[in-house]
Amino acid sequence: QVQLVESGGGLVQPGGSLRLSCAASGIFFSISTMGWYRQVPGEGRELVAEITGGSSTNYAGSVKGRFTISRDNAKNTVYLQMNSLKPEDTAVYYCNARMRTLTSTRTYWGQGTRVTVSS
C-alpha cells in the first residue's frame, strides 16, 4: 500500500521559516510529479508548488520568491522550504505525488500538516 507522510508543520511567527517534508513509502515503480497544495476552511485546495521528475518547478504567484520546492529521489521525498512566512500562508498543507504501481498510475495524497503563521 502506497503512503505519503508529511511532517514539519507547526506554529511560526510572521517572517519566520518552516520546512515541510513528505516521504513516499510502499511498493511502486516510479514517481513523476510531486507537489504541495494548501487549503483553508471553506475554500478549495490550491497549488503551492510542484516539481517534475526532471526537477522543473512551478510556483503559485503568492509564494514565488519565498518558497522553494525540492526533491530527493533516493529518499522518495519532496520538501517545501517556506521563508518570509505571512499570516495568509496559514493553512493545512498537503503533498501529492503521481506514482506508478503494480496496478495503476495515479495521484496519491498525504494526510496534511497544519501551518499556522501568527504572532
Side-chain angles (χ1 to χ4, degrees):
Q1 183 177 352
V2 172
Q3 271 193 315
L4 294 175
V5 179
E6 299 111 332
S7 60
L11 173 65
V12 63
Q13 292 187 341
S17 298
L18 279 176
R19 189 194 195 204
L20 305 183
S21 300
C22 173
S25 63
I27 300 174
F28 53 90
F29 292 117
S30 62
I31 306 175
S32 54
T33 300
M34 305 182 82
W36 289 95
Y37 287 68
R38 65 188 181 187
Q39 187 170 24
V40 298
E43 297 186 15
R45 200 168 290 188
E46 66 168 358
L47 174 69
V48 176
E50 61 185 357
I51 183 168
T52 68
S55 294
S56 295
T57 58
N58 179 44
Y59 294 92
S62 59
V63 308
K64 201 171 291 186
R66 300 188 297 122
F67 292 9
T68 302
I69 190 170
S70 61
R71 64 192 288 170
D72 184 335
N73 292 328
K75 296 181 179 179
N76 297 317
T77 299
V78 62
Y79 305 96
L80 186 68
Q81 177 67 43
M82 305 186 293
N83 299 329
S84 303
L85 282 159
K86 305 175 181 180
E88 51 263 43
D89 295 317
T90 296
V92 177
Y93 284 70
Y94 298 88
C95 73
N96 76 356
R98 187 153 184 85
M99 304 173 71
R100 186 164 72 94
T101 67
L102 285 168
T103 56
S104 66
T105 299
R106 69 175 185 91
T107 298
Y108 292 82
W109 290 87
Q111 81 287 352
T113 185
R114 184 173 301 276
V115 171
T116 302
V117 185
S118 174
S119 55

